[in-house]
Amino acid sequence: MIRDRALGALYGLALGDALGMPTQSMSRPGIAARYGTVDRLLDGAPDQPIAPGLPAGTVTDDTEQALLLARLLIEGGGTVDPVVFATALEDWEQDMIRRGSLDLLGPSTRRALTRLKEGESPDETGRDGTTNGAAMRVAPVGIAVAGPRLLDAVVAASRVTHNTGLGIAGAAAVAAAVSAGIAGAGLPAALDAAERAAAAGAARGHWVAGGDIAARLRWVRGWVRGMSRAQLADAVAEVVGTSVAANESVVAAFALAEGLGADPRAALTTAASLGGDTDTVAAICGAVLGAHHGVAGLPADLLSQVRAVNRLDLDAVVDGLLALRSPLS
């Protein structure tokens, strides 16, 4: 069961990412006007601002960077050297450019890697990284690590690009929910673990101004309970926010997990319809719900298409990450 839930975390991330690919950086009214209800995998339109012309089911940077981090974790025996990670991210971006993609490194990551090249310490390069880049790719850490060492592992995977209380809190919330889910915790318990991890993560890294993620998670979970799907979508889009800021998009993903967690299809297609950073909101929500439900609980028709389009076979990756879990726990 642990293996099935670990596979569910990575495949859920990929599925959410692919559902949000064609709508990322679009407005909610623009999505509704063009697509109506997003209830399936869609092609990237020719004028899609980030992913023009990509086939339906294609994953983006969320999945690719998560798998990059997974590979480095496995190769490093559970540790990731910040300079090696930075180089791998730079190489990934150059490959994306060669492929003609507009889906490149986010603003926090790009700024941090520039500072690293200029000779700054890895402890300083991510000093104002408050976006969701660390959170979107952290699911492999949640698979590889459980228990009291999880927060340290999140910090190690985040510090070169997102070494702030907000960046680490968002990543810690995702990693904790994934780790708890694949260990068999119920969804409420996994989301509780996310709140606690966000609170602990906020005390790590550089302080920056911004709404506290743990407090926002606690508030939003109570607020959205009992809302209809339409009410929930309005609440997340209009009040929580879906920008690249970690204290918007990460909170949005958990709001959907709280309100629609029993129905991953509904949660992920709703995420893809909200506007803003739809691929990341859906990817994070998919990782959390996939860790809880396992592969069998994800929409089989949509997942089959994503796996085929991207030639995704994550068995070996998951086995490598789970091999790290016991000694690091």
Side-chain angles (χ1 to χ4, degrees), residues 26-149:
M26 293 178 64
S27 70
R28 191 179 179 204
I31 294 168
R34 173 164 288 184
Y35 299 116
T37 301
V38 178
D39 57 3
R40 62 201 183 282
L41 294 160
L42 300 163
D43 294 326
D47 61 349
Q48 214 298 322
I50 304 295
L54 289 184
T58 304
V59 299
T60 76
D61 59 332
D62 303 78
T63 304
E64 294 196 6
Q65 290 187 29
L67 295 180
L68 183 157
L69 177 58
R71 174 177 61 80
L72 294 179
L73 281 167
I74 295 167
E75 291 175 354
T79 62
V80 178
D81 180 273
V83 176
V84 171
F85 189 25
T87 300
L89 288 169
E90 290 272 17
D91 291 344
W92 172 83
E93 183 177 59
Q94 289 305 309
D95 182 57
M96 294 295 279
I97 292 170
R98 284 191 293 271
R99 286 189 261 165
S101 174
L102 300 178
D103 207 354
L104 306 178
L105 295 172
S108 293
T109 298
R110 169 45 50 212
R111 185 164 51 245
L113 298 191
T114 298
R115 289 171 174 165
L116 191 67
K117 282 185 175 180
E118 292 171 349
E120 292 195 33
S121 163
D123 289 323
E124 294 294 325
T125 52
R127 63 182 176 270
D128 51 11
T130 60
T131 53
N132 54 27
M136 78 179 192
R137 58 188 178 232
V138 80
V141 176
I143 297 172
V145 187
R149 294 192 63 186

Side-chain angles (χ1 to χ4, degrees), residues 299-318:
D301 55 333
L302 301 181
L303 182 57
S304 176
Q305 187 176 348
V306 171
R307 293 186 64 178
V309 168
N310 300 282
R311 300 181 181 179
L312 275 184
D313 183 351
L314 301 180
D315 286 37
V317 174
V318 163

Side-chain angles (χ1 to χ4, degrees), residues 10-34:
L10 289 189
Y11 279 124
L13 186 155
L15 175 56
D17 184 16
L19 279 165
M21 174 273 291
T23 58
Q24 62 183 310
S25 297
M26 293 178 64
S27 70
R28 191 179 179 204
I31 294 168
R34 173 164 288 184

